[in-house]
Amino acid sequence: MCDTVLSCARDHLLPLARDHLLPLLKEAADMIMGIPKEIVEIKDELGRIEEFISNADRVADADENNKSQGTRGMINQLIEATFRIEDVIDDYMICEEQQLPDPGCAAGAANCFKTMSLRLQIAYKIQNIKSRINEIRDTSIVRVRGFQINSSSEQGASSSGVNSNTILLQNLRKAPFYMDEADVVGFEEPKNLLIDWLVRGRKKRTVVSVVAMGGQGKTTLAKKVFDNPRVVKHFDCHVWITVSQQYNAEGLLREMLHKLYKEKGNDLPKRINQMDRDSLVGEVRNCLQQQRYVVVFDDVWNICFWDEIDFAMIDNKNSCKIIITTRNMNVVNACKKSSFVEVHELKPLTKEKSLELFNKKAFYDLNGRCPENLVDISSKIVEKCYGLPLAIVVTGGLLSCKDRNTIEWYKFNENIKPELKEDSKIKKILALSYHDLPYNLKLCLLYFGLYPEDYIVTSKTLNQQWIAEGYVKEERGKTLEEVAEGYLIELTHRSLIQVSTRMDGTIRGCHVHDMVRAMILEKCEDLSFCNNISDEKQSPLTGMVRRLSITDTNSDNLMKSIENSQVRSLLVLTSKTLNESFVSEIPTKFRRLKVLLLLDDGFLEVPENLGSLSHLKYLRLWGRGRTLSLPKSIGMLENLETLDLSSTKFNVIPKDICKLRKLRHFLGFKMSLIQLKDDIGDMTSLQTLRDVCLGEEENEDEIDERVVKLIQEMGKLKQLRELVLLDVRGKYMSVISSSINEMQKMEKLSISTIGHEAFIDMDLNSPPPLLRNVKLNGKLKNFPEWISKLQNLAKLKVQLMYSKQTDDLTKLLKSMPSLLSLYVSGADDDEGLKGLYFLDGWFKNLKRLYVENFHNSSYIDIDKGALGSLKALYIVSIPQLKMLPTGIQHLQKLEVLNIRGVSEDFMKTIAPDEGKEHWIYKLVPSVKITPS
């Protein structure tokens, strides 16, 4: 019987295996072996498809005869193909990073089979993708308007019937772009009119309105008026509120209270978040009762807005004014039923002013002077901007990046159609600017579509998310963060985004104008870039949902609508409580996430299986006012680059976090990292580490060897650019100094001590040469001479211990070329310092000076030639000061003077009637002086 079975197997099964099974196994083995080559080819294919999509999208946008539906359908098919290519590349990268198990043991054999099976699946997916691309290529629609996709085996570049978007930015300024709304011209007459309405108007409450279409410059004009010295002086209460299309009345009232209390320097009532609308209205009225106030409500859309805000804006018969900017005249008319109303309809700029503004933007390096060869064509281009400031600024910014070639500019002019309808004119111009961007910069711009209207996102957050998405390309000699910062500068230069800058010119935060945002949202829909879900509006979740933004919703059906999607970015920006099951299911329903941002007031627990998100590169968690736990599985996020826990207290940071060897930015809230003392030095990719708390010790006098070990391990972080240490005790200064000496790429350093007896006594014999921001929040035992060696130092904050240190500080820092911002808190020794002085030539480049707590100083002397670049001067808690700083009239660039905590005698010197120094209000645009 046994022989019969063996004979049967030999005669039938072995030939079957030889003829059928072995070829299949060989084919599978060949496919697995060929994956690396296939991945390279499919990456090249992805680049070609993306270029084709970019060009086809421009053709579809330019189609004025509504014949682009077929092109759009083809684009959507290709976009879905790119999604699948991206996914398979990601799967391959994850698979390659996993070490192949030892097949010698049973468990290893099983894991080895599993890994090989995954690689075989990848090979089959690549085959299917290639087949799908060939199907699309073979359709006639692909060759529309001359476009075609070349296969990876074909030679030569793809052809195009229209000009390719290959013109890159010329002469890009390397210095950060300064966004200055003063460059907008043509507002002198309406500005003067509005100022007169504000300061010379009636005693009764009056609404001053500015009405115009989007992009006309309503906000710019209102800001010029709001910041004017006459207006600042006339009113004793100033509040600016941005309303936008989607707003919440209670939220606006709370924001008003925040700003009112902040302006007064008072603490906000703790009960404010529990107040209903009536209570909030009452609180606002109480704050404004005795005030002559001016309140700006910018960008109002809803005609019911006035009904919601009217009662809060008390009419105290004190010449109070309310400024409203809007596109809708009905918003203004709604105010007339209970208030006097002045209306200014903002007109387009004249031809002369339009050309002046255009020249400022297009020829910024020529001081706004147009070259002779471009005078005629510039005039023609400006005519097609119809006097709209935003359109002119965008067009000028775009052309400033192009060669000043007459033919090139005439070609540009041909693409601006004069017969376009009113709302389409600026849309067309914005689209031209968008299509001129390189492909990866288009993606960067579209990312703003994930954020709500008027949302200001920090530059660091945006850069980190761009990097996580893969938009930022490596450049020799630069970190990815530096390249991303360059992208921001370029988008700003093209006038597509608006930014706020620090004193050193670096970008702090950014947002997009609502007209630009409207264009972005339209492109996001055209290109299936992202979807947005909110209470007000929910974009349809059809097809592949790639990026998802959720704002203010607690829908129980949310997960059901998106559980089959391939989401790579999930941003939850809500003031409501998300469904608990939604949060817990994120790791299982969104396995392809690269970006996860959870900002949720009701955030409950971090999912235990968070580590299953193997593709995740950016993670930010925010559960306001709660202490949360971080699961140990976070150590499995091997691709994580940014971990931002800065808004939430976590009771324990798991030791497993040290396994994250790709982590570049680790931000926390008073984090204790003692448990990481043995391994944090292995996190060699770290560039940012903040805020690390070193103060949780049982015995304040004895040295804790665990803390010493932690600090020593930090010294191994050679790539660190930013370090923030909190609650530092003096006994650790020596080991901290040793570790910082090793961090030669450090750019920002902040050390804060704990307790009144702690001193900062750091000795850096080899200070990081790139240090540009140093904050020493604690008493200095000796003024550190190493600070004078920092030739790149732009911002310094120190707290002195003895009056002699003031002389040491000025001697060491007075000639530092890069110092832009200086914060000095005074000495508290018995004899004190009788006065402060700044001699001719001192601090020539300083733009911001903050002096505080010089309790025994009675004068400040400023020689002519000192502080020649100063823009902002803050003098706080110098109670013996009797008068304005002598020589302050020499500070010709001073824009802000803020003096707080002065005596009654000082206040008399600046009194409007008899004060001999009241002239300061005319000299400096913004002056605020308050008594102690």
Side-chain angles (χ1 to χ4, degrees), residues 422 459 768 888:
E422 189 73 5
S459 60
I888 194 172

Side-chain angles (χ1 to χ4, degrees), residues 53 78 117 126 182 239 271 303 444 457 475 567 729 742 868 897 921:
I53 290 172
L78 287 174
S117 176
I126 293 174
V239 177
R271 67 184 188 283
I303 60 174
C444 291
V457 56
E475 293 184 15
V567 178
R729 301 187 187 277
E742 300 296 320
L897 175 62
Y921 288 94

Side-chain angles (χ1 to χ4, degrees), residues 888-929:
I888 194 172
Q889 67 273 16
H890 302 314
L891 305 181
Q892 298 181 0
K893 296 184 178 181
L894 193 64
E895 298 173 356
V896 176
L897 175 62
N898 192 319
I899 306 177
R900 301 199 297 269
V902 298
S903 64
E904 291 185 8
D905 290 340
F906 188 111
M907 295 301 295
K908 290 178 181 178
T909 66
I910 58 165
D913 300 327
E914 301 179 357
K916 62 181 180 180
E917 294 185 327
H918 187 70
W919 50 265
I920 192 65
Y921 288 94
K922 294 182 180 179
L923 181 68
V924 181
S926 176
V927 178
K928 186 173 183 179
I929 303 175

Side-chain angles (χ1 to χ4, degrees), residues 819-822 843-849 867 869-870:
L819 192 61
L820 302 177
S821 177
L822 177 60
F843 300 102
K844 286 185 176 181
N845 298 316
L846 198 69
K847 294 184 179 181
R848 184 179 186 272
L849 175 61
L867 303 171
S869 300
L870 199 67

Side-chain angles (χ1 to χ4, degrees), residues 166-186:
T166 57
I167 303 174
L168 300 179
L169 191 63
Q170 302 285 333
N171 304 319
L172 177 63
R173 290 178 294 173
K174 295 182 179 179
F177 182 85
Y178 287 85
M179 196 66 158
D180 187 2
E181 288 192 340
D183 285 343
V184 179
V185 299

Side-chain angles (χ1 to χ4, degrees), residues 532-547:
N532 297 279
I533 298 176
S534 69
D535 287 341
E536 299 294 328
K537 183 179 180 180
Q538 178 171 329
S539 53
L541 299 178
T542 57
M544 263 192 175
V545 179
R546 206 57 167 172
R547 297 165 192 88

Side-chain angles (χ1 to χ4, degrees), residues 22 25 53 81 166 198 253 271 273-274 364 439 473 527 561 592 614 633 660 765 768 772 785 844:
L22 286 179
L25 291 174
I53 290 172
T166 57
L198 292 179
L253 293 170
R271 67 184 188 283
N273 290 325
Q274 284 73 48
Y364 63 90
Y439 182 75
K473 307 304 179 184
L527 302 174
S561 64
R592 293 196 175 275
S614 55
S633 67
L660 306 180
N765 52 41
R772 57 184 177 85
E785 293 191 10
K844 286 185 176 181

